Amino acid sequence: MRPEIIVRIQFPSAALEMFAQHFTVHYSPSLEEFEKAIEEFPETRALVTNGSIGVTGDQLRRLKKLEMVLTQGVGYENVDMAAVKELGLVLTTGKGTNAFSVADHGMALLLAIARNIPSIDRRVRQGDWLKSRGPQPLAWKKRLGILGLGEIGLQIAQRAAGFDMQISYHNRSKRSDVSYAYKETPLELARDSDFVIVVMPGGPETRGLVGREFLDALGPKGHLINIGRGSIVDTDELIKALHEKRIAGAALDVVAGEPVVTQELIGAPNLIITPHMAGRSPESVSEAMNRVVNNLRAHFAGEPLVSQIA
């Protein structure tokens, strides 16, 4: 009998078909559907979710036959890890499956906000071709600060090197395998950067890390790009900094409270927003789906897993 799994998040039909070749799949992407699935499918042995949606301890405890939780991406900040350990569950992530896609998107946002591309595009469409041709800043040879030099951060640094950018970073500890300048604190990184790309994971440790003090350190010529988690940036302080021109601009792929985006944020000047899509490309989706399926098959066959956290 094929193992039963619950897919808690939205997945493309091709991925669901891939799952169905090996497992009995209960597709429950909404909270209501998931709660119903918990009650209706007590034989469920694995749960597929992601870091943003996660799963609560109460939900895990009600799935009495559950053995495994898999997150589609690298994050697992909203998975109740205390419950995972209490119940002796296996947890794997999609670490590395979308790093190249997120890095590409981060550089695209950096270049777009530096060159003011969205605003210029709108003005040209409105008939202001000649008036839109003023000089715009470059990324070339500017100072790039990377807040979180993990796998994605490293790939961003590789891309930024092609623009002759001066690269520095802040982590909880200095890396011994890179030559980029290490900054002891986030504020030092902000002060010494023209662009800061946030690539840190979410969770209590990073919540509100980018607040008023950080934005003031970045300064009126500095740009903020967030492709990490929305909770890392204090949205109210970012809105104030943009309106008061205390920073030059911001480009966000993630927002606290998403998918709800406030009118106050949308109305802020010199801002680009994309809908948490950095990790979504045909190539990365394929990589993530294969990781989930392969880890599921390996678990039920008693074989080694990839990116196992617990």
Side-chain angles (χ1 to χ4, degrees):
M1 188 172 180
R2 292 196 286 184
E4 295 186 33
I5 68 171
I6 292 177
V7 177
R8 168 69 180 89
I9 54 177
Q10 290 189 343
F11 262 45
S13 58
L16 295 174
E17 291 170 6
M18 187 189 309
F19 290 162
Q21 294 175 17
H22 308 283
F23 315 105
T24 298
V25 181
H26 306 303
Y27 184 48
S28 312
S30 72
L31 177 58
E32 294 76 13
E33 290 169 317
F34 181 43
E35 287 292 334
K36 186 178 179 181
I38 291 174
E39 301 303 322
E40 291 187 352
F41 307 113
E43 299 299 315
T44 295
R45 297 174 63 188
L47 169 68
V48 181
T49 184
N50 61 28
S52 298
I53 292 175
V55 60
T56 69
D58 173 68
Q59 291 164 339
L60 290 173
R61 292 184 186 94
R62 285 187 283 138
L63 289 165
K64 302 296 185 181
K65 299 292 183 69
L66 193 68
E67 303 171 18
M68 184 181 197
V69 178
L70 307 95
T71 63
Q72 176 188 4
V74 63
Y76 54 96
E77 68 274 13
N78 286 322
V79 173
D80 189 325
M81 289 303 296
V84 167
K85 293 175 182 177
E86 169 197 325
L87 298 169
L89 303 177
V90 171
L91 174 68
T92 63
T93 75
K95 181 180 179 181
T97 58
N98 67 4
F100 54 90
S101 182
V102 178
D104 268 13
H105 196 81
M107 285 303 297
L109 288 176
L110 186 155
L111 294 170
I113 196 66
R115 297 290 287 171
N116 200 22
I117 288 174
S119 176
I120 293 172
D121 173 84
R122 288 191 297 270
R123 291 177 63 185
V124 170
R125 293 173 188 275
Q126 294 166 359
D128 288 337
W129 178 281
L130 294 177
K131 293 180 181 178
S132 303
R133 297 184 68 225
Q136 298 293 330
L138 294 172
W140 181 61
K141 290 192 174 181
K142 295 298 194 303
R143 300 171 301 168
L144 172 63
I146 302 175
L147 192 56
L149 195 68
E151 188 168 6
I152 295 171
L154 286 171
Q155 292 209 26
I156 289 169
Q158 292 169 3
R159 288 156 174 74
F163 292 87
D164 289 336
M165 299 188 82
Q166 302 170 42
I167 300 165
S168 59
Y169 72 99
H170 171 76
N171 275 353
R172 283 178 293 183
S173 58
K174 184 177 180 180
R175 296 187 62 135
S176 60
D177 57 345
V178 299
S179 59
Y180 309 127
Y182 176 68
K183 304 297 179 178
E184 295 286 345
T185 67
L187 291 183
E188 184 182 354
L189 183 76
R191 280 195 299 267
D192 294 343
S193 299
D194 300 302
F195 300 88
V196 169
I197 295 186
V198 179
V199 205
M200 282 185 162
E205 293 183 358
T206 59
R207 187 177 305 279
L209 180 66
V210 176
R212 185 182 183 92
E213 195 174 3
F214 184 100
L215 295 169
D216 284 344
L218 185 58
K221 293 184 178 180
H223 297 79
L224 177 73
I225 298 96
N226 187 8
I227 53 174
R229 285 290 186 264
S231 60
I232 300 170
V233 175
D234 185 322
T235 304
D236 291 338
E237 289 297 340
L238 176 62
I239 292 169
K240 292 176 187 175
L242 289 168
H243 278 290
E244 295 167 9
K245 298 182 179 180
R246 299 195 336 264
I247 65 171
L252 312 174
D253 184 55
V254 288
V255 176
E258 61 184 62
V260 177
V261 184
T262 66
Q263 287 300 315
E264 290 79 8
L265 180 60
I266 290 175
N270 299 324
L271 176 72
I272 298 172
I273 301 182
T274 56
H276 201 156
M277 57 173 284
R280 297 193 174 198
S281 62
E283 296 86 352
S284 64
V285 169
S286 176
E287 290 282 339
M289 298 310 100
N290 287 329
R291 169 71 58 81
V292 171
V293 170
N294 290 339
N295 269 341
L296 280 166
R297 295 183 68 186
H299 171 74
F300 293 121
E303 298 172 355
L305 304 174
V306 177
S307 295
Q308 181 174 350
I309 304 299

